[in-house]
Amino acid sequence: MGILYDDVVIIREPEKDGDPTVITVNCPDKTGLGCDLCRIILFFGLNIVRGDVSTDGKWCYIVFWVVGKQRTRWGLLKKRLIEACPSCSSASGISYYRSDLQPCNPPDVFLLNFSCHDRKGLLHDVTEVLCELELTIKKVKVSTTPDGKVMDLFFITDTRELLHTKKRKDETIEQLTEILGDAIISIDIELVGPEITACSQASPFLPTAITEDVFNLELPDLARSGTLRSDYVSIAMDNLLSPAHTLVQIMCQDHKGLLFDIMRTLKDYNIKISYGRFTTKPRGKCEIDLFIMQADGKKIVDPNKQNSLSSRLRMELLRPLRVAIVSRGPDTELLVANPVELSGKGRPLVFHDITLSLKMLGTCIFSAEIGRHLIGDREWEVYKILLGEGEGLSVPRNKIEEGVWKMLMGWE
């Protein structure tokens, strides 16, 4: 016997303006559940300002206090959070939860192919529509012809798994046509096979100069200039306070997706959280206490393992993404990279935030490409944006880099 389907996720909206919305999740536990829930909350454009996690290893109770967009579709968010929890079954017409997980097939990939006359902010407007429709951008190739026409290829998947239907396809084309207006020339959506998807992949390796000079592990110029300081992250581990758990205490500066970055790191290390508390303080400071254990149910007592986890957490909190402006001969290219989880999932809304930042800066995009690459021993999702010529480059390069960085970190 489980709990009722509707009680798995409860969303209580605030009684007065300015107060956070409270999301409660009560379901069977699994390693990485916190990461999956935080990713969904981040995808919906919400910021977690407080969190409590408690589990006995079989059942968990999680509470998030979130703030963010006024137009949040709470019913849809609840549905997505329920889907991320261990699966549910139906018995006598009443839905209950069960702890066994069914293997899922990879989603179908569709090619959105459209051409139109170019204008500033076009790419962001299209990206925003796709996000609103819950269409995930896997790959994108965007190019601008000399006569001012744009040829865009988006490889997308549908969270709702309905894009194969005429109704869903027509809805998508209708909303894109509305945002493109008279600029549109042609638009089409078709299901593509694995051979087409494979051909769209970028080379898994990047040139050595890029990996060493652009995505090195040194702190960015923004850190050295004072926008971000290394002492904003303090990580301490203690094995004396609890007989069964290692206590990890983190103090750092808040940023968009902070709790997600912590959770995905622990998920990649296959570490379980038995109890955790996350709170934000004045001036953007955060405090996190986590009682954790390894997959075998033991503390982390090996100093090498402690140092490895601490170093990875510190880097993910200081630089959850990499941002750089590089020269390609006479051209200027914006590079953004974020690590891919071992599960194969990337960070949500990165392309959305990049295009929004460039739109706000009035910087044109000449071409864009998303690819996954091996950098060191990790897979990264790399966004390569060739910036437009002319007045778009009147914005200094360091201002573009800083603007994109701040938007991605939620400091804009």
Side-chain angles (χ1 to χ4, degrees):
M1 190 70 174
I3 63 171
L4 285 172
Y5 181 88
D6 285 341
D7 292 336
V8 173
V9 175
I10 299 175
I11 298 179
R12 188 173 74 249
E13 297 188 44
E15 297 180 356
K16 60 181 181 180
D17 292 341
D19 286 350
T21 298
V22 182
I23 301 174
T24 303
V25 180
N26 186 18
C27 69
D29 193 19
K30 67 173 183 178
T31 302
L33 176 60
C35 171
D36 298 340
L37 298 177
C38 287
R39 181 191 295 104
I40 294 170
I41 291 172
L42 179 59
F43 179 82
F44 275 77
L46 299 171
N47 184 42
I48 300 172
V49 296
R50 180 182 167 193
D52 279 307
V53 179
S54 180
T55 177
D56 60 3
K58 295 182 178 180
W59 202 270
C60 69
Y61 184 75
I62 303 173
V63 185
F64 294 122
W65 288 258
V66 303
V67 296
K69 298 190 303 183
Q70 294 182 344
R71 296 186 298 112
T72 301
R73 295 167 292 175
W74 296 109
L76 185 58
L77 172 60
K78 177 176 180 177
K79 180 180 179 181
R80 296 294 172 250
L81 292 172
I82 290 175
E83 291 171 349
C85 297
S87 57
C88 63
S89 62
S90 179
S92 303
I94 302 178
S95 295
Y96 294 96
Y97 258 69
R98 55 188 173 84
S99 59
D100 58 308
L101 296 175
Q102 300 296 326
C104 55
N105 296 321
D108 290 331
V109 178
F110 294 82
L111 172 61
L112 165 63
N113 180 2
F114 71 89
S115 64
C116 63
H117 298 285
D118 195 14
R119 62 170 171 80
K120 283 186 178 179
L122 172 68
L123 193 53
H124 172 70
D125 294 342
V126 172
T127 302
E128 190 166 41
V129 170
L130 296 179
C131 290
E132 288 292 327
L133 289 168
E134 291 190 285
L135 297 171
T136 302
I137 302 171
K138 293 297 185 182
K139 302 288 177 184
V140 60
K141 289 191 176 182
V142 177
S143 59
T144 306
T145 62
D147 59 351
K149 293 186 178 65
V150 174
M151 304 290 293
D152 291 357
L153 301 176
F154 285 82
F155 292 87
I156 56 179
T157 58
D158 186 6
T159 302
R160 303 178 194 175
E161 299 184 352
L162 293 172
L163 200 52
H164 62 281
T165 66
K166 184 178 185 300
K167 180 180 178 181
R168 175 70 161 156
K169 185 180 297 185
D170 289 346
E171 175 194 17
T172 302
I173 292 177
E174 180 183 350
Q175 293 201 30
L176 288 170
T177 302
E178 182 178 347
I179 198 68
L180 293 172
D182 295 336
I184 192 168
I185 299 173
S186 64
I187 184 169
D188 185 42
I189 299 175
E190 61 177 328
L191 177 67
V192 296
E195 67 282 355
I196 302 297
T197 306
C199 291
S200 72
Q201 304 289 324
S203 168
F205 296 97
L206 286 174
T208 304
I210 295 180
T211 60
E212 291 180 353
D213 297 338
V214 177
F215 299 126
N216 62 75
L217 298 183
E218 296 298 323
L219 291 179
D221 292 338
L222 296 173
R224 291 189 285 269
S225 66
T227 304
L228 174 69
R229 298 204 316 271
S230 59
D231 61 358
Y232 277 15
V233 175
S234 170
I235 300 175
M237 294 191 181
D238 186 291
N239 278 314
L240 300 178
L241 192 61
S242 169
H245 301 89
T246 296
L247 170 62
V248 179
Q249 294 180 303
I250 303 172
M251 296 182 63
C252 62
Q253 182 77 8
D254 193 16
H255 67 252
K256 182 188 295 185
L258 170 65
L259 197 55
F260 166 69
D261 290 324
I262 294 173
M263 293 293 189
R264 68 177 170 83
T265 302
L266 296 178
K267 181 181 179 181
D268 280 353
Y269 274 74
N270 201 22
I271 288 176
K272 300 179 180 179
I273 301 174
S274 295
Y275 176 76
R277 174 165 292 177
F278 168 84
T279 56
T280 55
K281 302 293 183 181
R283 291 183 291 184
K285 300 287 186 177
C286 295
E287 293 183 2
I288 305 101
D289 294 329
L290 302 171
F291 287 84
I292 63 174
M293 62 174 63
Q294 300 177 111
D296 58 7
K298 297 180 180 179
K299 295 182 180 183
I300 306 175
V301 295
D302 185 338
N304 292 329
K305 291 183 178 180
Q306 288 187 12
N307 291 336
S308 175
L309 177 59
S310 179
S311 297
R312 177 58 64 85
L313 282 170
R314 181 181 301 278
M315 184 53 61
E316 300 303 335
L317 295 179
L318 283 172
R319 298 189 67 189
L321 305 103
R322 309 290 197 272
V323 180
I325 294 285
V326 297
S327 295
R328 294 285 179 264
D331 300 321
T332 300
E333 190 172 59
L334 169 69
L335 294 175
V336 178
N338 61 276
V340 177
E341 291 177 38
L342 293 181
S343 64
K345 296 180 180 179
R347 190 185 192 88
L349 297 185
V350 174
F351 195 59
H352 173 277
D353 289 346
I354 293 172
T355 54
L356 175 58
S357 179
L358 294 176
K359 180 180 179 180
M360 293 174 62
L361 289 168
T363 302
C364 296
I365 297 174
F366 185 76
S367 67
E369 181 180 329
I370 303 175
R372 292 198 172 184
H373 305 267
L374 294 175
I375 303 176
D377 60 349
R378 305 179 68 185
E379 184 179 30
W380 294 71
E381 205 161 50
V382 180
Y383 301 76
K384 298 163 60 177
I385 315 291
L386 186 63
L387 302 182
E389 301 175 355
E391 59 179 343
L393 291 185
S394 62
V395 181
R397 293 184 178 189
N398 64 324
K399 292 297 183 182
I400 295 176
E401 181 179 358
E402 183 177 353
V404 172
W405 171 262
K406 286 183 175 181
M407 180 64 70
L408 291 167
M409 297 292 281
W411 296 343
E412 194 64 55

